[in-house]
Amino acid sequence: MATKVHMEALSPTMEEGQLVKWLKGEGDEVSSGDVLAEIETDKATMELVARGDGVLRAILLAEGGTAAVGEVIGVIAGADEDISALVGEGGGSGGGGAADDAADAPAAEKDDADADPVADEAASAPSEAAAPSSDEAASTEPSGRVKASPLARRLAEDTGVDLASIEGSGPGGRIVKRDVEAARSAPAAAPAPAASKSAPAPADWSDAGAQESYDEVPVSQMRKAIARRLTESISPVPHFFLTVDVDMTRAVAARKQVNALVEAEGDRVSFNDFVLKAAAAALVRHPDCNAAWHGDHIKRFHHVHMGVAVAIDDGLITPVVKHADRKGLVQISREVKEMAGRARQKRLKPDEYTGATFSVSNLGAFGIHEFTAIINPPEAGILAVGRIEDTPVAIGGEVVVRPRMRITMSCDHRVIDGAQGARFLQTLQAMLEEPAAILV
């Protein structure tokens, strides 16, 4: 019996996936549990496994294409089984797999009121098509709409190709799939020719040689998730912000001492590890900040799962150090390094980047003095940590230079009031200014 291969929800927040690579090809025998493909979710690259036995008869989503969760992207069936009814269920954008070209494209062509009945993009050679017209109107419908097949329009939309810039090679100058593909692979347009002698350049030296240009960067699944999640946060979540200035003199000394003890074993803790450990300990004392908004109730956690923002090539992700309040500096440091490495390879498992009860974002390594972070709902708070800077301060009536660090807490006012957030930050500040207090 045939088995549909669906785009599965491979992360808790996944709504669509991008097919990175098929690990099985059409005609390959597969067994239930075999890895069929690699799928880029909104957080990581995951494996899609077969849910049935047989032969991978049809691939309905090409590599690089996207499909919503639940859409059919392939068919597993017996070698001689009729799958024609299932192949028609394939979907996704940026597809163009074998079945897509052979089955979907002709069907789509028939739906186009202006379609040429003999047009078949997959089969017709350029020489068989009508010669492109030099008359621009020949590739434009009376309404001014560029003539293009539905498949070409979909491919152009997915890849950011401007149909108006393409000369169609189909009947009547119609743009077909091969024209869009050729436009995608064509080298960048040559610089515009110099103005003719009869039209001298305007004598505005400020614009001399300047050209307007831009790149259109496809939006990855992760970037879509970031946009959706942070919009969901900043719109309905009533943020307010609290900032403290922390004297890091003793934390600097403590880090030096700790590293002197552990470097022989290959470990080295960072200032961010100190912040994570101190924040986890402070949250235990202030459970009203270790909480989440759930509409009709507030959940206050008895454990501290600390999310750590990690920048990766096309976005960011927050691996979670679970039970951070019960772990030592070295263990926290090891877990952060290990998960950050796999996060950059998009190899984190869903339970490694979900379930945080509070988060920390640190841009100090980028030279950022101070910033604010957007809460990752349903969490109620996040810390934004800046760089440590030598700063002149007045102590005992004298101006001295001390290493200082700004920490700004973003609070969900539905969960945390100003005084609650301030008390938490006071405790965190005290722990960082006297690291021994973390142990008390």
Side-chain angles (χ1 to χ4, degrees):
M1 181 177 179
T3 302
K4 300 174 187 175
V5 179
H6 293 275
M7 178 62 76
E8 299 182 8
L10 300 173
S11 81
T13 54
M14 177 177 169
E15 295 183 355
E16 67 176 14
Q18 182 175 37
L19 206 147
V20 177
K21 183 179 182 181
W22 281 102
L23 302 179
K24 297 287 186 181
E26 289 185 346
D28 287 351
E29 291 189 0
V30 298
S31 299
S32 180
D34 286 352
V35 179
L36 292 176
E38 293 181 345
I39 303 293
E40 182 183 304
T41 73
D42 53 344
K43 297 293 186 183
T45 300
M46 306 292 290
E47 294 178 341
L48 179 70
V49 301
R51 303 298 180 186
D53 302 324
V55 175
L56 181 57
R57 293 283 305 283
I59 288 177
L60 305 179
L61 183 65
E63 294 179 356
T66 60
V69 170
E71 286 193 20
V72 178
I73 62 172
V75 177
I76 298 172
D80 300 322
E81 195 170 347
D82 180 9
I83 62 169
S84 56
L86 299 177
V87 168
E89 298 182 25
S93 64
D100 188 38
D101 285 345
D104 290 349
E109 299 280 344
K110 293 175 184 177
D111 293 338
D112 189 337
D114 296 321
D116 187 317
V118 300
D120 184 341
E121 298 176 17
S124 63
S127 59
E128 296 173 344
S133 170
S134 59
D135 184 354
E136 184 178 350
S139 60
T140 306
E141 298 172 356
S143 62
R145 188 177 184 229
V146 176
K147 283 186 176 180
S149 71
L151 184 58
R153 289 187 188 282
R154 187 175 72 180
L155 183 59
E157 182 179 352
D158 292 341
T159 56
V161 173
D162 183 4
L163 288 175
S165 66
I166 302 175
E167 189 173 74
S169 63
R174 193 161 177 256
I175 297 171
V176 293
K177 177 185 173 185
R178 60 171 171 268
D179 299 324
V180 179
E181 293 176 335
R184 287 182 62 197
S185 59
S196 66
K197 293 181 180 178
S198 59
D204 182 357
W205 291 98
S206 63
D207 292 334
Q211 296 183 13
E212 294 184 350
S213 64
Y214 59 88
D215 294 324
E216 290 191 355
V217 180
V219 178
S220 67
Q221 297 302 312
M222 175 172 287
R223 180 58 56 190
K224 291 178 183 177
I226 291 171
R228 185 180 65 254
R229 292 281 294 166
L230 297 188
T231 301
E232 289 172 355
S233 173
I234 201 67
S235 299
V237 176
H239 286 65
F240 72 94
F241 308 97
L242 302 170
T243 301
V244 290
D245 192 30
V246 182
D247 186 338
M248 294 291 286
T249 301
R250 291 180 177 172
V252 170
R255 175 175 179 257
K256 186 175 181 180
Q257 292 174 339
V258 170
N259 281 336
L261 294 172
V262 302
E263 281 181 339
E265 298 179 4
D267 294 305
R268 184 174 177 80
V269 302
S270 67
F271 287 114
N272 200 49
D273 297 329
F274 271 83
V275 173
L276 294 173
K277 177 60 183 172
L283 286 170
V284 172
R285 302 185 187 184
H286 299 275
D288 41 13
C289 294
N290 188 39
W293 174 258
H294 286 279
D296 60 348
H297 66 279
I298 294 172
K299 186 178 292 183
R300 288 181 177 170
F301 300 99
H302 300 152
H303 57 273
V304 179
H305 289 351
M306 192 65 75
V308 185
V310 173
I312 60 178
D313 285 343
D314 57 352
L316 61 87
I317 192 168
T318 52
V320 179
V321 179
K322 296 187 176 178
H323 301 290
D325 54 314
R326 300 184 181 184
K327 294 176 178 174
L329 271 173
V330 173
Q331 188 172 355
I332 289 174
S333 178
R334 288 174 178 172
E335 288 191 20
V336 171
K337 288 186 177 71
E338 195 276 331
M339 287 194 289
R342 285 192 291 116
R344 295 187 179 99
Q345 299 171 354
K346 296 188 175 181
R347 295 298 179 188
L348 286 181
K349 300 175 183 176
D351 66 347
E352 293 176 314
Y353 56 78
T354 57
T357 61
F358 196 89
S359 291
V360 172
S361 178
N362 190 330
L363 293 179
F366 297 93
I368 300 300
H369 172 70
E370 179 182 4
F371 69 105
T372 58
I374 298 174
I375 294 169
N376 185 26
E379 297 169 39
I382 183 172
L383 295 179
V385 183
R387 66 176 298 183
I388 298 174
E389 299 172 306
D390 285 338
T391 307
V393 293
I395 298 178
E398 296 183 359
V399 177
V400 298
V401 176
R402 291 288 178 85
R404 312 282 293 194
M405 181 175 71
R406 288 281 181 92
I407 298 179
T408 298
M409 178 180 180
S410 304
C411 306
D412 182 345
H413 214 330
R414 298 172 301 181
V415 180
I416 303 172
D417 293 328
Q420 292 172 319
R423 285 193 288 268
F424 164 75
L425 280 182
Q426 281 181 327
T427 300
L428 174 63
Q429 181 183 32
M431 288 179 169
L432 289 172
E433 293 186 345
E434 179 47 82
I438 300 175
L439 305 175
V440 177

